């Protein structure tokens, strides 16, 4: 055999050997993530605080999140005898209490002002639970990074992680994602898929607000008492879609042991929600624990499917519900409605998706499921209450707005006239029909729907049409 041929043969053999070792490491890593499932002998897989019920799901996760690490993994990791690549960073604190923060900013000297400040852009929504040793330092870096890239929006930082929604040009948001993924603090935790994108830009927010808080999502419960680490089982959009389909089919016959729970505020679910959902009549997520406490009997021995906008409220909400030990099991939609709509724009979610910026909502289907506050005409475009003392949202159609009906309720309408007539312009305390009827503890507007199975007739027509 010629020297060249021998070298080629050796290289080919080495390549086959490397691929064989990689396959073995991949299989061992997946095997090490197995956990017992409900059925006898069945298994699921647990990795990076997520539970995967299908082999294809864990394979995709390992390939996209751990592939590079497996290539260079040591013997212990490859054989599954130690923690998998990234597990120390993902599931627990690093030995020194958290990774170091890099304060570097991206080089933008090659970019012109128009590229960074273009009005045509997008809005990012993301969160990352991780141990942050110095929240103030992370906050300062985030503010500098956003200002450097001309981004607006809101970013919450805490010792438990970061939660943000920012808007800017596509060049700016792409750079932001790139820097966040390369940040050592978020290494092996954040990935591209964790950033939810929608059309928008810097104009979607009035300014930039970055701050340090106790929680990255304000539930009002100490993170040390109810931790995101005790979250429910994550379902991919495909898995969640199948669960909802099965639930609607069974619910239409009054046979379901499942509750489809919307974790958002009433004004969000009002303009868009999953078919057959149970939606708490609450104004703030901090009211959610009180709602759960007052409705424990409702969840007793039930399977609960939870969802929210991007997934973060379900992380803490599912942990709180699980802490009550009354449900059969608690599941949550990974990536929230945002990710579901990317795959199922005409699925079981109908209406608009509420967002916390000046757009108020984004659209994936043409359904309008809400009505004007005054005349009842189908309408789903929110405006702020016109009364200066009030920050409530109101659905009032163009016809009613032209008649001067621009407040959230008659009380606010009267107070608006009262404030306008005052020379001093003194603001009144926020108190109107809308706030009075939604105290901190409130039952569901759909509570009776699930206590009385006969009321499922409201949804039977929808379910029959969607599941046929």
């Amino acid at each position: 055999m010629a020297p060249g041929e021998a070298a080629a043969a050796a290289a080919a053999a080495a390549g086959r050997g490397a691929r064989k070792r990689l396959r073995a490491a991949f299989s061992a890593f997946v095997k090490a993530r197995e956990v017992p499932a409900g059925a006898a002998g069945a298994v699921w897989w647990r990795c990076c605080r997520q539970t995967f019920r299908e082999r294809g799901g864990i394979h995709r996760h390992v390939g996209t999140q751990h592939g590079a690490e497996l290539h260079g993994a040591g013997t212990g990791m490859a054989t599954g005898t130690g923690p998998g690549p990234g597990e120390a960073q993902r599931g627990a604190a690093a030995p020194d209490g958290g990774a170091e923060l890099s304060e570097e900013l991206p080089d933008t000297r090659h970019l012109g002002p128009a590229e960074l400040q273009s009005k045509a852009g997008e809005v990012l929504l993301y969160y990352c639970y991780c141990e942050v040793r110095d929240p103030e330092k992370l906050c300062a870096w985030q503010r500098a990074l956003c200002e450097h890239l001309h981004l607006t929006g809101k970013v919450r930082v805490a010792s438990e992680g970061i939660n943000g929604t920012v808007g800017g040009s596509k060049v700016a948001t792409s750079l932001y994602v790139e820097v966040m993924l390369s940040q050592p603090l978020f290494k092996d935790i954040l990935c591209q898929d964790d950033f939810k994108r929608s059309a928008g830009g810097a104009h979607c927010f009035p300014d930039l607000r970055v701050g340090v808080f106790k929680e990255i999502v304000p539930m009002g419960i100490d993170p040390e008492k109810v931790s995101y680490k005790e979250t429910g089982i994550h379902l991919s959009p495909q898995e969640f879609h199948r669960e909802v389909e099965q639930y609607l089919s069974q619910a239409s016959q009054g046979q379901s042991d499942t509750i489809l729970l919307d974790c958002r505020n009433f004004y969000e679910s009002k303009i868009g929600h999953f078919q057959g959902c149970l939606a708490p009549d609450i104004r703030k997520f901090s009211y959610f624990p009180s709602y759960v406490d007052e409705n424990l009997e409702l969840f007793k021995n039930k399977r609960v499917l939870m969802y929210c906008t991007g997934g973060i409220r379900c992380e803490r909400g599912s942990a709180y519900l699980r802490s009550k030990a009354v449900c059969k099991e608690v599941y949550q939609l990974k990536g929230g409605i945002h990710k579901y709509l990317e795959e199922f724009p005409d699925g079981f979610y109908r209406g608009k998706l509420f967002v916390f910026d000046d757009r108020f909502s984004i659209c994936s289907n043409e359904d309008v499921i809400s009505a004007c506050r005054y005349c009842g005409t189908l309408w789903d475009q929110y405006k702020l209450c016109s009364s200066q003392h009030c920050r409530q949202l109101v659905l009032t159609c163009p016809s009613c707005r032209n008649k001067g009906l621009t407040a959230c309720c008659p009380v606010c309408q009267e107070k608006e006239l009262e404030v306008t007539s005052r020379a001093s312009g003194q603001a009144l305390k926020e108190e109107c029909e809308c706030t009075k009827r939604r105290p901190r503890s409130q039952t569901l507007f759909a509570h009776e729907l699930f206590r009385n199975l006969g009321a499922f007739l409201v949804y039977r027509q929808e379910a029959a049409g969607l599941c046929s």
Side-chain angles (χ1 to χ4, degrees):
M1 182 181 292
E5 293 175 342
R16 288 193 295 272
R19 287 192 294 273
K20 186 175 181 180
R21 288 192 297 274
L22 181 60
R23 284 195 295 271
F26 187 94
S27 298
F29 182 78
V30 171
K31 180 72 175 175
R33 311 273 84 71
E34 288 184 358
V35 294
V43 296
W44 291 347
W45 296 265
R46 184 79 179 173
C47 187
C48 306
R49 303 199 314 271
Q50 300 177 45
T51 300
F52 300 87
R53 302 196 299 172
E54 296 181 350
R55 187 175 295 273
I58 184 66
H59 281 188
R60 284 191 297 273
H61 171 78
V62 174
T64 57
Q65 300 302 309
H66 300 292
E69 298 163 277
L70 282 173
H71 274 285
T75 303
M77 288 183 181
T79 58
T81 58
E87 287 299 285
Q89 297 95 327
R90 288 172 180 268
D96 64 351
E100 288 293 339
L101 172 71
S102 169
E103 297 181 83
E104 289 186 13
L105 299 178
D107 185 0
T108 58
R109 289 174 295 181
H110 62 291
L111 299 172
E115 292 177 276
L116 285 177
Q117 300 178 46
S118 170
K119 288 187 177 180
E122 61 184 1
V123 171
L124 300 175
L125 177 67
Y126 74 94
Y127 67 91
C128 177
Y129 277 106
C130 63
E131 190 163 323
V132 178
R133 184 163 31 183
D134 191 341
E136 294 288 351
K137 191 175 180 181
L138 175 58
C139 178
W141 174 71
Q142 269 294 306
R143 184 178 292 108
L145 175 61
C146 291
E147 290 175 349
H148 184 65
L149 297 175
H150 299 276
L151 299 175
T152 60
K154 295 170 281 190
V155 181
R156 294 176 66 97
V157 176
S159 58
E160 63 173 355
I162 185 170
N163 174 25
T165 176
V166 295
S169 71
K170 287 191 176 182
V171 170
T173 53
S174 294
L175 270 174
Y176 182 83
V177 171
E178 183 181 320
V179 172
M180 291 291 286
L181 294 178
S182 65
Q183 171 61 250
L185 189 61
F186 308 131
K187 182 174 170 57
D188 303 316
I189 306 175
L190 266 181
C191 66
Q192 282 278 357
D193 203 45
D194 290 323
F195 291 87
K196 298 94 185 175
R197 302 170 185 262
S198 55
H203 62 277
C204 294
F205 302 90
D207 50 26
L208 173 66
R209 300 179 186 181
V210 185
V212 175
F213 300 85
K214 181 73 173 177
E215 308 167 273
I216 60 174
V217 60
M219 190 170 75
I221 302 292
D222 191 328
E224 293 184 5
K225 292 183 179 179
V226 177
S227 171
Y228 65 88
K229 296 176 184 178
E230 303 303 322
T231 186
I233 296 173
H234 292 72
L235 299 181
S236 69
Q238 298 94 332
E239 292 171 325
F240 196 83
H241 184 80
R242 287 196 293 270
E243 286 283 354
V244 174
E245 183 174 36
Q246 181 180 356
Y247 155 71
L248 288 173
S249 178
Q250 294 175 346
S252 67
Q253 303 167 35
Q255 299 175 348
S256 180
D257 65 345
T258 300
I259 291 177
L260 179 56
L261 180 62
D262 193 322
C263 293
R264 301 172 301 158
N265 304 319
F266 80 92
Y267 53 84
E268 299 175 76
S269 57
K270 192 174 196 175
I271 63 170
H273 53 247
F274 276 93
Q275 301 282 346
C277 76
L278 195 59
D281 192 22
I282 57 177
R283 289 197 299 125
K284 300 177 182 178
F285 185 55
S286 57
Y287 297 0
F288 183 78
S290 297
Y291 158 71
V292 169
D293 292 344
E294 293 191 353
N295 292 278
L296 288 177
E297 194 64 29
L298 185 67
F299 297 108
K300 193 172 182 180
N301 297 322
K302 298 287 187 180
R303 297 172 71 252
V304 179
L305 302 173
M306 299 177 71
Y307 69 88
C308 61
T309 305
I312 188 169
R313 280 178 280 187
C314 283
E315 300 283 6
R316 294 291 307 286
S318 66
Y320 188 82
L321 186 55
R322 289 187 72 234
S323 73
K324 300 301 175 179
V326 295
C327 304
K328 282 184 181 178
E329 191 53 87
V330 181
Y331 302 89
Q332 64 188 75
L333 173 57
K334 186 177 185 296
I337 303 165
H338 247 292
K339 285 298 179 183
Y340 178 86
L341 292 178
E342 287 180 13
E343 300 195 36
F344 301 98
D346 275 316
F348 296 119
Y349 186 89
R350 311 310 301 174
K352 299 283 198 306
L353 171 59
F354 184 91
V355 290
F356 289 91
D357 58 57
D358 289 349
R359 298 172 298 173
F360 290 125
S361 66
I362 54 180
C363 177
S364 70
N365 56 68
E366 298 302 317
D367 288 6
V368 178
I369 66 169
S370 52
C372 172
R373 164 95 171 72
Y374 290 96
C375 71
T377 299
L378 288 175
W379 189 252
D380 61 7
Q381 296 180 32
Y382 276 120
K383 295 285 186 182
L384 285 174
C385 175
S386 56
S387 185
Q388 294 177 11
H389 72 280
C390 183
R391 300 296 296 171
Q392 299 297 309
L393 292 167
V394 57
L395 292 172
T396 175
C397 69
S399 176
C400 288
R401 291 189 72 83
N402 289 337
K403 296 174 185 176
L405 301 173
T406 55
C408 65
C409 64
V411 172
C412 271
Q413 198 78 46
E414 290 174 13
K415 285 189 176 183
E416 181 184 10
L417 295 173
E418 199 176 316
V419 170
T420 304
S421 65
R422 290 184 180 184
S424 63
Q426 181 183 355
L428 299 176
K429 181 181 178 181
E430 177 188 341
E431 186 177 322
C432 64
E433 290 180 4
C434 301
T435 54
K436 277 185 176 179
R437 80 178 190 86
R438 291 189 175 87
R440 186 172 186 84
S441 299
Q442 179 74 22
T443 55
L444 307 183
F445 71 72
H447 188 108
E448 293 303 319
L449 174 70
F450 286 82
R451 296 191 65 164
N452 178 7
L453 290 176
F456 267 116
L457 290 171
V458 174
Y459 294 110
R460 289 187 69 170
Q461 204 167 16
E462 294 178 334
L466 288 166
C467 299
S468 57

